[in-house]
Amino acid sequence: MINLWFDESIYDGPVRGPYKVIVNLIESLEECNIPFAVNEDKYDKNYLVHYGREGHEKHSKLEHDSCVIGPQIWPFDPYGEFLRDNPQYYRKLIVPSISPKISFIDQGFVEDKIAVWPVGIKEINIEERGDKVLVYQKERSDSDVQVVTNFLDSKDIDYDFLKYGTYSEADFDRCLKSCSRAIIVGRPETQGIAYQEMMSSGMPLLLWEVDEWYDMGVPEPYRKYPEPTLAHYFSDECGMKFYSVDELESSFDTFMNTEYDPKSYVKRELSYKVTVQKLLALFE
């Protein structure tokens, strides 16, 4: 039914968002019994997940109206500019949340050609879990992380620590079992798959939120994305947010004494079944 086109070297690197997009996409199609091919022109629908030089070359050989492209699109390079200037060459561009969609429109992409579609999140069931707190760092300063860990130390609270781009799937799974709640010290996201997988396991999140971009090691053009947030997909079911160091203690106390149900949110909004149905509808 659908051909998936992507750079298979994605499997060789660390656990990052682009890798998880591919893994979750394939798992979701398999779970929903949707036939697919990988880097092979077998079916009538074409989904180009990565769009750089290789993706552009593959695209040129496909029936353009059969093509959905994204979310690995860099709108500031020549290939992104080609997509902006030639909307007749594809059915839809996929972005994972509203923030990049607004940015694409601002840069001249055709609004009707841009679809918001987050990749699906698997259901994760943890039978027995510990009571540690997981501290998760993504492209935020070590000093911000130290504020959190010092606070936990002052409360004699045990914690595990993960830093984006440095851990394995096994490390992540271990922390899902050893920790019951998480504090996220991150930068603005377009989807935030790791956070959503925590939520899918039933782990509530306390987000040290940011409401503006600043230099977090992210290329400057990327910081043009509007409405920055750590979590576009989040509700009161999932946990809570705080914005400054001064709010940490009171927010943490409320967070630890409140019951949440993030698993239900993910199942309703981001499950494999829900997202596969939405993906296939983009080809209609």
Side-chain angles (χ1 to χ4, degrees), residues 9-16 19:
S9 68
I10 196 74
Y11 291 121
D12 300 332
V15 178
R16 295 181 183 270
Y19 163 84

Side-chain angles (χ1 to χ4, degrees), residues 215-227:
D215 186 6
M216 301 177 185
V218 179
E220 190 278 332
Y222 189 75
R223 301 201 297 272
K224 294 179 180 177
Y225 284 180
E227 301 183 13

Side-chain angles (χ1 to χ4, degrees), residues 1-282:
M1 177 177 285
I2 183 170
N3 306 317
L4 307 179
W5 303 94
F6 59 89
D7 182 356
E8 294 185 68
S9 68
I10 196 74
Y11 291 121
D12 300 332
V15 178
R16 295 181 183 270
Y19 163 84
K20 292 298 297 184
V21 168
I22 297 300
V23 170
N24 288 17
L25 172 61
I26 288 175
E27 285 185 357
S28 64
L29 293 172
E30 289 175 338
E31 183 175 294
C32 295
N33 297 312
I34 304 299
F36 66 92
V38 172
N39 291 330
E40 180 184 0
D41 192 0
K42 185 176 180 181
Y43 299 107
D44 61 348
K45 297 179 176 64
N46 290 287
Y47 180 15
L48 295 97
V49 186
H50 300 150
Y51 202 83
R53 179 181 58 82
E54 291 185 8
H56 179 73
E57 290 177 357
K58 291 171 183 173
H59 182 207
S60 67
K61 300 172 184 177
L62 300 171
E63 182 181 344
H64 293 146
D65 196 48
S66 72
C67 294
V68 168
I69 302 171
Q72 266 72 66
I73 307 167
W74 186 241
F76 312 105
D77 69 14
Y79 305 109
E81 291 172 356
F82 171 83
L83 296 175
R84 179 196 65 200
D85 296 339
N86 295 279
Q88 72 275 16
Y89 285 176
Y90 50 86
R91 180 170 288 273
K92 292 287 184 181
L93 297 183
I94 284 176
V95 293
S97 61
I98 190 62
S99 177
K101 178 173 181 175
I102 295 171
S103 180
F104 277 41
I105 294 168
D106 288 345
Q107 294 166 65
F109 287 78
V110 176
E111 181 173 358
D112 290 346
K113 287 283 190 169
I114 304 171
V116 173
W117 181 80
V119 74
I121 303 299
K122 65 182 176 182
E123 184 173 359
I124 301 174
N125 297 305
I126 307 293
E127 293 184 2
E128 295 185 14
R129 70 191 325 156
D131 58 2
K132 292 182 180 180
V133 171
L134 172 60
V135 179
Y136 189 97
Q137 178 186 16
K138 181 173 181 180
E139 294 168 359
R140 280 276 281 278
S141 69
D142 291 340
S143 60
D144 282 352
V145 173
Q146 191 170 14
V147 167
V148 172
T149 56
N150 287 347
F151 169 76
L152 294 175
D153 287 336
S154 73
K155 299 285 189 179
D156 293 322
I157 295 173
D158 290 334
Y159 60 87
D160 283 336
F161 174 73
L162 290 176
K163 183 175 182 178
Y164 177 77
T166 67
Y167 59 83
S168 67
E169 292 270 27
D171 294 331
F172 187 77
D173 291 344
R174 173 182 55 79
C175 287
L176 292 185
K177 294 176 182 177
S178 64
C179 301
S180 60
R181 299 189 178 224
I183 302 177
I184 308 300
V185 187
R187 54 92 162 155
E189 290 286 349
T190 53
Q191 177 162 353
I193 294 172
Y195 309 156
Q196 292 161 3
E197 289 187 340
M198 295 175 201
M199 289 157 51
S200 180
S201 78
M203 181 182 290
L205 308 183
L206 178 61
L207 307 177
W208 187 346
E209 181 67 289
V210 294
D211 54 11
E212 62 180 356
W213 278 102
Y214 55 92
D215 186 6
M216 301 177 185
V218 179
E220 190 278 332
Y222 189 75
R223 301 201 297 272
K224 294 179 180 177
Y225 284 180
E227 301 183 13
T229 176
L230 268 63
H232 283 282
Y233 299 95
F234 196 79
S235 75
D236 291 342
E237 296 169 88
C238 305
M240 61 181 296
K241 303 178 180 183
F242 69 100
Y243 288 85
S244 72
V245 174
D246 295 338
E247 299 172 351
L248 173 57
E249 183 165 8
S250 61
S251 298
F252 181 80
D253 289 344
T254 301
F255 173 67
M256 295 298 288
N257 289 288
T258 303
E259 293 297 320
Y260 300 100
D261 188 14
K263 192 179 190 72
S264 291
Y265 175 88
V266 173
K267 187 173 183 178
R268 183 177 68 249
E269 303 291 337
L270 297 164
S271 71
Y272 280 171
K273 180 179 180 180
V274 167
T275 54
V276 165
Q277 289 174 343
K278 290 180 178 179
L279 175 63
L280 296 180
L282 298 179

